[in-house]
Amino acid sequence: MMDKSEASRRIPQLRETITRHDELYYRQGSLEIEDQQYDALKRELAELEAAYPELAEGPSPTERVGDDRTEGFAKVKHRERMMSLDNTYSEAELREFDARLLRIFPEGKLSYVVEPKIDGVAVCLTYENGKLVRAVTRGNGVEGDDVTANVREGVPNLPDRLAGDAPSLIEIRGELYMTHAEFQRINSEREEKQLPLFANPRNLTAGTIKQLAGVGGRRLEIVLYGLGACEPRTFARQSEFHDAVKAWKLPTLEKYWMAENIDEAWKRIEKLDTLRHDFTYETDGAVIKLDDFALQAEAGATAKSPRWAIAYKFAAEQAETLLEKIDVQIGRTGAVTPVAHLQPVQLAGTTVSRATLHNEDEIARKDIRPGDTVVVQKAGEIIPQVLRVVTDKRPADSQPFDFAAFLKQKNIEAERVPGQAFWRLKGRDDPALIRRKLKHFASKPCLDIENLGEAVVDQLVSRGLARTPADLYTLKVEDLLELDKFAQKSSENLVSAIDASRDKEVWRLVHALGIPNVGAQSAKDLIAHFHSLPALMRATGEELIEVDGIGEIVARSIHSFFKDEEQLELVNRLIEHGLRIEEEAPAAPAEDAPLSGKTVVLTGTLPSLSRSEATALIEKAGGKSSSSVSKKTDYVLAGDSAGSKLDKARKLGVTIIDESSFREMIGE
């Protein structure tokens, strides 16, 4: 275990890294690391925060459910929380899960249900009097996005009514997914149109269900297996509920097993591992649950996970194939990342033809060369990685790969970032970087400019019509008529789409600028705090850190970005072109507002309010939300798993309130 000084530096790094990956996975449907790497980061953070609780400022990302809520959807509260499962990768930890339950139930005979763990998007369906009335994503566990219309359109095999008798009200939980066949059909069509391919079925499912204009002709499937609220509650066991789901003619698990003890459960998991690739959905593990609902209720839950269930993740799959060549891809900040092009090979149920090589050091450490036979590994259905080289099969004339010489050969002017393992383009005028920035600016999570795709951006850059995002707003119909496949109508449509993007939300513009380390959620948090782009540009490092979720690394990135003359010129040009740069600030509260002049600190997880909702209520009632407890703090609003802030409040004699008292105080 590292000492306190090291931990004080490592904990904020881990929190920021985990929060970033949560943003990518839950809100953007994307992944940069494998599940096992992500879980290792969370485990390291949990151990450090347990060893040094005084360093654990605010709710920990280890104690919260990932949040998939996005703009544009109505928010609906779950009648019962939707939690996420703790993960394990070892048989020993699975048996420790059983041992913990036996300590709670020393006299009990614990029977389990073993189910396939579906790698999809969690959803909760509500049926009232047998009729489907609502479909909601997990969200933050307390509330989610209402995706009823998209589920009705995109999941044709989901009955609108339950067959036979059913409770008057029932929440049925499961996973949305996309079959291998549908995923391959969509990617084949995109390949024919020379469009970028989707990475995996899970990410495409997440993006499809969150499309504001319907699911766009993509077919989704659903598998249902979990029970939420139920009135009247007529089920005693999970296995009984599975039988009911089948009787209602709902899509459900192809296979599940009963186990009278943990030994039997382990045998069922091993059996599942031999069958899972025959299922129509991605299965990356097994879920082990207590069968008895009464015992589940007695076992209870932590802030984010039930104590009566656990997910066992299967080991990453591996395959041997030929590395045909090494190429690079350019990121939005100019980062140059090596990628392996592989002889196509079947892995984890899909055909793999590319793998990440991470950086120059990784290539050198593993001595990876074009023409090598390599072992590739895939976990979590993301772009796989090259695990190692099979040197016995290396060609006799093979030479070590020289990354710098390769870049020079491809006329890519880049330099290695001092103290880092990656390379970045030298000149901001590099066509590859210009194209990447324009594509990012116009992408759906940013300004969402319709019809401004990759092929169009490539033509704009190659013909000298656009060098920066600001140039897009100078384009005229006659300029676009020069492009391939552009006629009068298509040119007018693109000019109109660019013009319409001027009035998009300010956070989208902040995200579109490509500030290093600032994703969509960070952009939303920043604008919610500062209310305008000019105010954000003027903010000091100390003011930036005051924003919830913004750490020192992100604050430095923002501060440096707006001190750069070229970036300032771009922003000023965008402002001159009339892009929206201000959001309306909340109206000032009346002097007699319930919390006028009061400072409130939030800690822990509240029963029904998210952090942002609670903060909004505090501000609406005239109060100020702060991130740290001091003698000037008037109230600490505490929920489950409150940490060191609660202890400090007690020591300082600060008034501690729960959500119920808070609501009463503000008249809610």
Side-chain angles (χ1 to χ4, degrees):
M1 178 66 69
M2 63 182 64
D3 61 29
K4 186 173 180 179
S5 175
E6 291 175 307
S8 67
R9 292 190 294 272
R10 181 62 173 158
I11 287 175
Q13 291 174 351
L14 286 168
R15 283 179 163 234
E16 191 166 325
T17 299
I18 292 167
T19 299
R20 177 172 173 274
H21 287 302
D22 283 345
E23 162 75 13
L24 286 170
Y25 184 79
Y26 291 106
R27 295 184 193 269
Q28 299 183 28
S30 178
L31 274 180
E32 286 186 353
I33 61 173
E34 300 171 6
D35 287 357
Q36 198 158 354
Q37 292 173 292
Y38 173 80
D39 290 336
L41 291 174
K42 294 188 79 169
R43 183 169 296 189
E44 181 186 356
L45 177 59
E47 290 172 352
L48 288 175
E49 289 181 333
Y52 303 105
E54 66 275 17
L55 300 178
E57 284 290 327
S60 173
T62 65
E63 297 173 346
R64 68 183 179 220
V65 173
D67 191 350
D68 67 26
R69 295 174 299 171
T70 53
E71 298 293 326
F73 290 89
K75 305 297 181 272
V76 178
K77 281 186 166 55
H78 301 298
R79 289 179 171 84
E80 291 186 7
R81 274 195 306 159
M82 284 188 75
M83 295 178 286
S84 60
L85 296 175
D86 282 334
N87 293 330
T88 180
Y89 295 85
S90 75
E91 181 184 354
E93 288 184 353
L94 179 67
R95 291 184 179 278
E96 176 54 32
F97 158 75
D98 177 65
R100 288 196 299 269
L101 288 175
L102 287 172
R103 288 193 287 272
I104 299 174
F105 307 111
E107 305 299 325
K109 181 182 179 183
L110 303 183
S111 59
Y112 295 104
V113 176
V114 178
E115 304 169 352
K117 181 182 178 300
I118 295 94
D119 190 18
V121 176
V123 68
C124 179
L125 307 182
T126 300
Y127 283 85
E128 294 181 3
N129 298 315
K131 180 176 176 58
L132 176 65
V133 296
R134 191 172 293 111
V136 182
T137 65
R138 179 162 57 194
N140 65 353
V142 174
E143 71 169 18
D145 288 343
D146 188 334
V147 292
T148 310
N150 282 358
V151 166
R152 289 187 192 277
E153 179 185 347
V155 191
N157 67 330
L158 179 66
D160 192 57
R161 285 190 172 276
L162 300 178
D165 295 330
S168 58
L169 181 147
I170 187 169
E171 288 181 335
I172 306 174
R173 288 156 179 190
E175 300 275 333
L176 292 163
Y177 69 95
M178 184 174 286
T179 63
H180 297 302
E182 177 69 356
F183 177 71
Q184 290 169 357
R185 179 190 71 79
I186 293 169
N187 262 351
S188 295
E189 290 180 357
R190 292 179 69 82
E191 192 168 21
E192 289 176 6
K193 297 175 182 177
Q194 296 185 326
L195 295 172
L197 302 185
F198 293 112
N200 57 67
R202 192 270 167 198
N203 291 4
L204 182 52
T205 300
T208 299
I209 201 63
K210 289 298 184 74
Q211 290 191 145
L212 292 173
V215 297
R218 300 172 188 168
R219 181 187 173 102
L220 299 177
E221 308 285 342
I222 195 168
V223 58
L224 299 165
Y225 51 76
L227 178 63
C230 183
E231 300 172 7
R233 201 171 186 91
T234 56
F235 306 103
R237 293 181 173 274
Q238 175 70 28
S239 49
E240 289 179 16
F241 178 68
H242 279 311
D243 292 339
V245 173
K246 287 181 180 178
W248 293 327
K249 306 298 184 186
L250 292 174
T252 189
L253 297 168
E254 296 179 46
K255 183 76 175 174
Y256 71 89
W257 293 266
M258 297 299 303
E260 292 302 316
N261 51 52
I262 198 64
D263 291 326
E264 285 190 10
W266 178 249
K267 290 177 182 177
R268 306 297 185 260
I269 292 170
E270 291 180 314
K271 179 68 173 177
L272 171 60
D273 198 13
T274 67
L275 300 175
R276 60 193 176 104
H277 292 310
D278 293 330
F279 296 160
T280 59
Y281 38 74
E282 302 294 341
T283 308
D284 60 357
V287 176
I288 302 90
K289 302 176 181 176
L290 277 177
D291 187 33
D292 192 313
F293 282 150
L295 295 185
Q296 289 184 10
E298 192 174 341
T302 65
K304 66 178 281 288
S305 303
R307 293 191 176 93
W308 44 266
I310 195 169
Y312 175 84
K313 292 287 196 74
F314 293 122
E317 294 200 33
Q318 300 175 5
E320 197 173 285
T321 189
L322 180 69
L323 194 159
E324 296 177 333
K325 69 174 183 176
I326 294 176
D327 207 340
V328 294
Q329 60 186 23
I330 309 298
R332 66 183 172 97
T333 61
V336 182
T337 305
V339 177
H341 288 252
L342 308 168
Q343 190 173 85
V345 62
Q346 281 293 118
L347 188 60
T350 58
T351 301
V352 170
S353 58
R354 296 198 332 151
T356 179
L357 294 174
H358 299 293
N359 54 54
E360 179 187 21
D361 289 355
E362 184 78 353
I363 294 174
R365 184 176 69 81
K366 295 178 179 177
D367 190 18
I368 299 169
R369 311 177 186 183
D372 275 343
T373 297
V374 294
V375 175
V376 291
Q377 174 175 285
K378 192 176 187 185
E381 295 306 321
I382 60 173
I383 294 176
Q385 62 177 329
V386 173
L387 192 63
R388 63 180 180 275
V389 175
V390 183
T391 53
D392 293 346
K393 298 182 180 181
R394 172 171 282 166
D397 60 349
S398 175
Q399 296 294 320
F401 184 76
D402 187 329
F403 192 68
F406 173 76
L407 294 178
K408 186 175 181 180
Q409 180 186 344
K410 290 184 69 76
N411 295 317
I412 296 175
E413 293 190 14
E415 60 187 352
R416 181 156 171 161
V417 179
Q420 301 290 329
F422 68 93
W423 288 62
R424 179 171 283 148
L425 295 178
K426 278 185 181 179
R428 291 178 176 176
D429 290 331
D430 189 293
L433 181 57
I434 292 171
R435 286 194 294 269
R436 185 65 183 84
K437 286 185 174 181
L438 289 173
K439 291 170 192 174
H440 173 73
F441 187 87
S443 66
K444 196 173 187 65
C446 296
L447 270 294
D448 190 17
I449 302 176
E450 193 174 356
N451 300 320
L452 188 54
E454 184 170 4
V456 178
V457 168
D458 288 346
Q459 290 192 71
L460 291 174
V461 175
S462 63
R463 294 171 185 262
L465 293 172
R467 191 185 73 84
T468 75
D471 296 333
L472 298 174
Y473 297 92
T474 66
L475 292 173
K476 299 179 177 61
V477 170
E478 49 267 32
D479 297 325
L480 299 176
L481 288 171
E482 298 178 15
L483 305 184
D484 295 339
K485 299 181 180 179
F486 265 76
Q488 183 73 24
K489 186 62 176 176
S490 53
S491 299
E492 290 173 355
N493 287 343
L494 180 52
V495 169
S496 295
I498 293 171
D499 185 56
S501 72
R502 298 174 201 264
D503 198 40
K504 292 289 176 73
E505 301 97 319
V506 182
W507 70 262
R508 288 183 176 275
L509 175 57
V510 172
H511 182 29
L513 291 174
I515 305 170
N517 301 310
V518 174
Q521 188 56 45
S522 296
K524 292 175 186 177
D525 293 338
L526 288 163
I527 293 304
H529 183 89
F530 291 107
H531 307 302
S532 76
L533 178 57
L536 172 61
M537 295 168 67
R538 292 191 300 268
T540 64
E542 292 76 15
E543 290 170 334
L544 289 166
I545 292 173
E546 281 294 310
V547 180
D548 188 39
I550 302 298
E552 289 186 14
I553 295 174
V554 178
R556 282 198 299 270
S557 288
I558 298 168
H559 201 252
S560 298
F561 184 88
F562 289 121
K563 291 295 182 185
D564 185 291
E565 289 185 7
E566 190 169 332
Q567 303 296 0
L568 275 177
E569 181 186 351
L570 168 63
V571 173
N572 288 330
R573 284 188 64 202
L574 291 170
I575 293 173
E576 289 171 5
H577 285 303
L579 274 77
R580 183 175 169 186
I581 58 171
E582 292 187 359
E583 300 286 4
E584 289 186 14
E591 291 185 6
D592 60 349
L595 294 178
S596 180
K598 303 294 184 184
T599 299
V600 183
V601 173
L602 295 167
T603 182
T605 304
L606 300 175
S608 65
L609 289 174
S610 67
R611 188 177 187 83
S612 59
E613 289 171 334
T615 299
L617 288 174
I618 291 167
E619 293 173 351
K620 182 180 176 183
K624 175 189 174 184
S625 177
S626 175
S627 60
S628 58
V629 179
S630 70
K631 291 180 180 180
K632 296 181 180 180
T633 303
D634 295 289
Y635 301 105
V636 167
L637 174 52
D640 292 342
S641 303
S644 57
K645 291 182 184 179
L646 184 59
D647 296 333
K648 190 172 182 180
R650 288 175 178 144
K651 289 177 184 176
L652 294 175
V654 175
T655 302
I656 299 166
I657 57 175
D658 59 14
E659 183 182 322
S660 177
S661 301
F662 170 67
R663 286 184 178 276
E664 185 176 345
M665 184 181 293
I666 63 174
E668 281 281 318

